[in-house]
Amino acid sequence: MSTPITVQYKINASVEKVWKALTDKYEMKSWYFDIQDFDLKSGKVFKFYEPGGANQYHHQGEIIEVIPHHKLKHSWSYPDFSDQKTIVTWELQSEDGQTLVRLTHDNIENFKELGEGFSRENFTKGWNTILGQSLKEYIENKR
């Protein structure tokens, strides 16, 4: 049985502000990825490349579940390298005027055949940077 990667941070902002940053493709572009075809509806597929113009890794996801202001769940895959998929779940919870953001990345071992760049350690480091620095700083400094 696999152990998911779980990363969580408190952000000094309302759930509504965090949800908007997490689900609005124009805001996402400022802290996450430029996902031009992102559409917040179950079954919608989206794709993107990492920033910087290298276009090294084609990412693809499909929206699985949306509970506004609480949960966004989508698949995460690299269709150019593998037909395997993983699941990323973003959960928001209001706590004392702040928002606890918990990200869970399940089935990461599905990418083990892709090499070190797709290791559990790399994903853990990446999600900590994305959530704990990029998202947190974007929202808290946006005021």
Side-chain angles (χ1 to χ4, degrees):
M1 183 158 162
S2 69
T3 303
I5 294 170
T6 302
V7 175
Q8 64 181 29
Y9 287 89
K10 256 190 192 168
I11 297 179
N12 190 19
S14 69
V15 166
E16 291 77 16
K17 283 186 180 178
V18 176
W19 181 256
K20 187 170 186 324
L22 183 62
T23 60
D24 180 304
K25 66 183 175 183
Y26 301 106
E27 287 206 35
M28 290 162 67
K29 190 175 175 177
S30 297
W31 67 271
Y32 191 41
F33 296 104
D34 183 5
I35 309 176
Q36 295 179 8
D37 59 353
F38 187 84
D39 188 0
L40 189 62
K41 292 184 180 102
S42 288
K44 292 293 187 177
V45 174
F46 58 92
K47 50 197 166 307
F48 60 96
Y49 290 91
E50 70 285 352
N55 288 351
Q56 189 174 3
Y57 298 111
H58 170 208
H59 301 69
Q60 184 170 296
E62 180 177 345
I63 307 286
I64 297 168
E65 182 179 12
V66 177
I67 302 173
H69 303 113
H70 178 66
K71 183 193 276 186
L72 171 61
K73 185 175 188 177
H74 60 81
S75 64
W76 182 278
S77 65
Y78 299 94
D80 295 346
F81 299 104
S82 171
D83 60 357
Q84 295 293 312
K85 293 182 180 178
T86 60
I87 303 295
V88 174
T89 305
W90 300 80
E91 295 175 284
L92 309 182
Q93 182 178 327
S94 183
E95 285 192 3
D96 304 320
Q98 297 184 320
T99 301
L100 178 66
V101 181
R102 178 181 299 115
L103 179 137
T104 306
H105 196 161
D106 286 297
N107 304 318
I108 199 69
E109 69 281 348
N110 288 357
F111 294 150
K112 69 178 178 244
E113 80 279 359
L114 299 180
E116 189 59 34
F118 299 87
S119 70
R120 175 180 197 81
E121 293 73 27
N122 276 359
F123 275 102
T124 301
K125 182 179 175 189
W127 288 125
N128 272 292
T129 300
I130 286 169
L131 186 52
Q133 292 176 14
S134 299
L135 177 62
K136 184 172 174 58
E137 289 173 11
Y138 170 73
I139 292 174
E140 291 182 354
N141 295 330
K142 189 178 173 197
R143 301 179 178 261

